């Protein structure tokens, strides 16, 4: 079923996949940073899998970027809440949750904390428990390690990322930060580290760089399922799980953690990017966890 989610004067194209029989629950899909279209294979997998288990799946295109800047997490959370409202009009009074991949796993708990009356559960894949800036420091250093670069290159990467972050916060002048980027750009590893060749003219363009997820996690009162690929090159997995543990200490239903063998950042085997590469372990764990928490069909 083709619908739309209307937010801030923008109509986001939306696809709703409904069960053939009774609806036990619903799921709204939230996006990774570089996977903003509802046709992404990880989202399509949910739409093919879950209706057979009585779960409706709503996928929508992510809000467009403005002037090349990333969509703020607060806006992504607001869009998620709007999408839940759309889904509820079609499924009625059943538990509705959010599924978030990577960046979407920051927006989903933000939305759940804001509207606990609407969000009944969270499924988070490759979600970071540290800030975007810290996560990118970890992930880009890991790219260098996995490509055989040593301590000197890692140290230079640390310096250029620190200079770039300081400029974006307004703590360093652009000329000094750009000089650090210019030096790093001559290194063979520069294409691996996701830094702009030319810094923006003004600081403040990465609004969420120091977003602290731990207080957000602490406001989540619904059940949470966390998936991590054991070889994920972008997420500090142990630190992220520890962040959830700290934030939810004493919770009656602490987050469930599932480490996916053979998976990296996506829940796929051998770093695949197709429906056929989706991990059977991920599929089975997702179905089992939802089945235990949704009303019988």
């Amino acid at each position: 079923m083709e619908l739309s989610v209307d937010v801030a004067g923008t109509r986001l194209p939306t696809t709703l996949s409904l069960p053939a029989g009774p609806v036990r629950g619903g799921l709204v899909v939230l996006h990774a940073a570089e996977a903003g279209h509802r046709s992404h294979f990880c989202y399509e997998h949910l739409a093919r899998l879950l209706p057979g288990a009585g779960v409706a799946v709503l996928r929508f295109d992510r809000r467009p970027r403005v002037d090349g800047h990333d969509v703020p997490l607060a806006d992504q959370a607001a869009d998620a809440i709007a999408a839940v409202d759309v889904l509820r009009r079609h499924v009625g009074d059943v538990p509705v949750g959010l599924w978030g991949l990577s960046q979407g796993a920051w927006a989903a708990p933000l939305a759940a904390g804001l509207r606990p009356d609407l969000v009944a559960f969270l499924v988070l894949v490759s979600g970071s428990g540290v800030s975007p800036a810290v996560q990118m420091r970890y992930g880009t250093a890991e790219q260098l390690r996995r490509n055989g670069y040593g301590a000197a290159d890692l140290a230079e990467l640390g310096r250029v990322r620190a200079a770039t972050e300081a400029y974006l916060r307004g703590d360093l002048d652009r000329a000094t930060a750009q000089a650090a980027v210019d030096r790093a750009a001559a290194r063979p590893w520069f294409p691996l580290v996701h830094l702009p060749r030319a810094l923006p003219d003004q600081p403040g363009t990465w609004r969420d760089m120091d977003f602290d997820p731990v207080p957000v996690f602490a406001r989540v009162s619904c059940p949470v399922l966390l998936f991590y690929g054991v070889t994920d090159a972008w997420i500090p997995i142990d630190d992220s799980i520890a962040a959830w543990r700290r934030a939810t200490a004493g919770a009656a239903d602490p987050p469930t953690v599932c480490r996916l063998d053979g998976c990296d950042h996506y829940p796929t085997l051998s770093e695949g990017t197709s429906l056929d590469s989706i991990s059977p372990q991920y599929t089975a764990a997702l179905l089992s966890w939802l089945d235990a928490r949704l009303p019988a069909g």
Side-chain angles (χ1 to χ4, degrees):
M1 181 185 302
E2 296 305 307
L3 304 167
S4 67
V5 174
D6 297 326
V7 292
T10 302
R11 178 161 291 183
L12 306 177
T14 301
T15 300
L16 173 60
S17 301
L18 290 167
V23 179
R24 301 173 61 199
L27 195 70
V28 170
V29 176
L30 303 186
H31 320 81
E34 303 303 325
H37 196 275
R38 66 193 188 280
S39 64
H40 188 267
F41 77 96
C42 284
Y43 316 155
E44 184 180 349
H45 170 258
L46 297 169
R48 293 189 182 195
L49 174 72
L50 294 184
V55 180
V57 176
L58 186 143
R59 300 170 283 155
F60 63 97
D61 288 353
R62 181 172 145 163
R63 189 191 299 209
R65 298 184 180 193
V66 177
D67 297 329
H69 303 324
D70 207 355
V71 181
L73 291 172
D75 290 346
Q76 294 184 48
D79 295 350
I81 292 167
V84 170
D85 285 336
V86 171
L87 177 56
R88 283 197 173 280
R89 291 201 290 268
H90 293 271
V91 300
D93 188 21
V94 297
V96 171
L98 302 175
W99 179 100
L101 172 62
S102 193
Q103 189 181 84
W106 278 316
L110 185 57
L114 291 170
R115 293 298 305 272
D117 57 317
L118 289 181
V119 180
F121 59 90
L122 296 176
V123 179
L124 308 177
V125 181
S126 302
S128 174
V130 298
S131 72
V134 172
Q135 184 238 315
M136 286 301 294
R137 284 179 227 152
Y138 171 88
T140 53
E142 191 65 16
Q143 301 311 303
L144 265 60
R145 292 189 190 97
R146 294 191 184 194
N147 282 276
Y149 292 99
D153 294 305
L154 286 163
E156 184 171 5
L157 170 63
R159 290 192 295 271
V160 69
R161 289 212 72 92
T164 301
E165 290 176 18
Y167 169 66
L168 293 174
R169 292 188 185 99
D171 297 332
L172 185 68
D173 65 277
R174 186 182 183 281
T176 300
Q178 184 62 55
V181 172
D182 292 342
R183 288 190 296 271
R187 310 303 184 211
W189 46 258
F190 188 76
L192 298 173
V193 299
H194 296 262
L195 283 170
R197 183 61 186 84
L199 294 176
D201 293 335
Q202 299 293 329
T205 54
W206 190 9
R207 288 176 50 184
D208 288 315
M209 63 184 294
D210 294 316
F211 169 80
D212 182 0
V214 175
V216 172
F217 297 166
R219 291 193 290 271
V220 173
S221 56
C222 62
V224 180
L225 174 60
L226 303 171
F227 284 108
Y228 292 101
V230 296
T231 62
D232 194 328
W234 287 102
I235 301 297
I237 296 172
D238 290 340
D239 289 348
S240 297
I241 294 171
W244 272 103
R245 297 295 190 217
R246 289 196 309 274
T248 58
D253 187 5
T256 300
V257 179
C258 182
R259 296 179 186 250
L260 298 173
D261 296 326
C263 298
D264 199 83
H265 197 58
Y266 286 160
T268 59
L269 299 176
S270 302
E271 300 186 45
T273 56
S274 68
L275 286 166
D276 292 341
S277 66
I278 296 285
S279 162
Q281 180 192 0
Y282 161 73
T283 297
L286 175 60
L287 287 172
S288 176
W289 190 85
L290 289 174
D291 188 59
R293 283 161 176 78
L294 295 177

